Structure formats: structure tokens, C-alpha cells
Amino acid sequence: MIQKLRKTYMNESNPRKKGNKKVAEVKTYTVPFALEDNQTNITIGTNLSTKPSAEQIINRAIQFHLKGNIIEAANYYQHFINQGFKDYRIFSNYGVILKSLGNLVEAEIAQRKAIELNPDFADAHNNLGNLLKDLGNLKDAELAFRKAIEIKPTFEVAHNNLGNLLKDLGNLKDAELAFRKAIEIK
């Protein structure tokens, strides 16, 4: 059976009187299939996905983090990790938050996971260096800073961090060189 759709076009008869509407024209269109026979539910909407993608979760987390909303960012990072997704940026950023909250051991695990996922991510090596320094593992911290610099020679923050570490170790000559390099870069 062919069903018919009615489409009504409404015009206001007098624009000064609100709510007073008059039917200007009625058109009838045939629908090319019997609606009773169609078992498919058709939904039309602008949002095709109700579940956010991994990239959307990452972007939301990073935006919260950049705006200083650490708790919300941490929730997103943790949700991402709990879903089993693996992205080096999430683990590294989550490690930074964990460090700021005083969870140094968990932060180290997160940074090492970021490095495992992307060994050439200089930021994670630098972050790991800072963690290891805070944990008192100065030799490994030095190696982490040097690795960050090896990956990204123009990484002025890593040069500066290495300079601070070398100064703390009493190696003032090499510390000065690291500081000078950081200044040269930026």
C-alpha cells in the first residue's frame, strides 16, 4: 500500500497578529514504498556518533589539562587508559599530573609507558628525568635528560634540566655548558 505524506506550508495572514496562521497551500507527495513493510528504523540526526572517539577523548583531556583543570583532565586520561587505548601523549600527560599530585612512582610508570609506546618522544624522556631526579636516582635522570636531547637537540628545557642536575652533582663545567646551550636555543 502506498502511503502519502502531507506537507503543509504556513504563512502568517497578518504579521502584526502573532499566532494567527493560515494554511496557504497543501501539497501531497507519494512515498515510494509501503511503510508497513519496512522493518528498518531510520534515524536522521546531526550527531552520528554518541560515543566519543579515542581522538576526541584525547583532545578533551588535553584541553582540560591546558586550561589547568587537572582533576577533569586526569579523569579523561584515566578513562582513556581504562578503555585499553594506548597513546603516548596520554600516558606522558597523565604522568605529569601524577607527579604534580605527589604520586611519583605511578608517574614514573606512566612516563615509562609513554616511552615504550613512542621511544622517540623527547618530552617523555625529559619528564622521566625530572621524576628520577625527584626520586633521588640522579644517574638515571641524567641519562633520561641526555636521551631527550639526543632525540631533540633543540629541546632547551631538557638542556636546562640537565644543567640543573649537573650543578647538583657538582659538575659545574658541564652544567655551564648545558645552561649555555639552553640559552643559545632560546
Side-chain angles (χ1 to χ4, degrees):
M1 175 174 156
I2 302 284
Q3 297 290 320
K4 294 186 179 184
L5 270 178
R6 287 187 159 216
K7 199 168 198 180
T8 305
Y9 296 93
M10 306 289 277
N11 288 332
E12 285 188 23
S13 59
N14 184 348
R16 294 181 196 167
K17 293 182 181 179
K18 293 186 179 182
N20 188 8
K21 295 187 178 185
K22 178 179 169 185
V23 175
E25 175 181 358
V26 175
K27 290 188 179 182
T28 304
Y29 299 94
T30 58
V31 177
F33 56 87
L35 292 176
E36 292 87 1
D37 296 338
N38 188 354
Q39 300 296 318
T40 307
N41 290 330
I42 300 172
T43 304
I44 299 173
T46 57
N47 186 5
L48 300 178
S49 175
T50 57
K51 186 177 180 183
S53 70
E55 196 61 32
Q56 287 172 321
I57 295 170
I58 292 170
N59 289 335
R60 286 181 191 160
I62 290 171
Q63 286 306 310
F64 280 119
H65 198 166
L66 290 173
K67 291 178 181 175
N69 190 339
I70 301 305
I71 300 302
E72 202 60 37
N75 287 337
Y76 271 96
Y77 292 145
Q78 189 61 56
H79 172 74
F80 184 86
I81 292 167
N82 290 343
Q83 295 300 312
F85 297 118
K86 304 219 182 308
D87 186 289
Y88 64 94
R89 300 169 295 174
I90 292 299
F91 283 95
S92 184
N93 289 348
Y94 191 50
V96 169
I97 288 176
L98 290 169
K99 180 183 186 281
S100 72
L101 297 173
N103 299 330
L104 300 183
V105 174
E106 291 177 40
E108 180 184 355
I109 292 167
Q111 292 302 339
R112 289 190 185 278
K113 183 65 176 178
I115 292 168
E116 177 187 318
L117 293 170
N118 184 355
D120 294 329
F121 186 48
D123 287 10
H125 289 281
N126 183 63
N127 293 340
L128 179 61
N130 284 322
L131 281 164
L132 293 171
K133 180 181 177 191
D134 289 351
L135 289 167
N137 190 346
L138 302 182
K139 290 296 179 189
D140 286 342
E142 180 181 350
L143 293 174
F145 291 136
R146 290 191 185 279
K147 183 64 177 178
I149 292 167
E150 176 188 322
I151 294 167
K152 187 177 174 185
T154 60
F155 195 179
E156 77 279 352
V157 173
H159 285 282
N160 188 63
N161 288 338
L162 177 61
N164 282 320
L165 178 69
L166 293 171
K167 178 183 64 114
D168 292 347
L169 290 171
N171 187 346
L172 299 181
K173 183 179 176 184
D174 287 342
E176 180 184 355
L177 292 174
F179 288 136
R180 287 187 183 278
K181 185 64 177 179
I183 291 168
E184 177 187 318
I185 294 167
K186 191 170 184 178

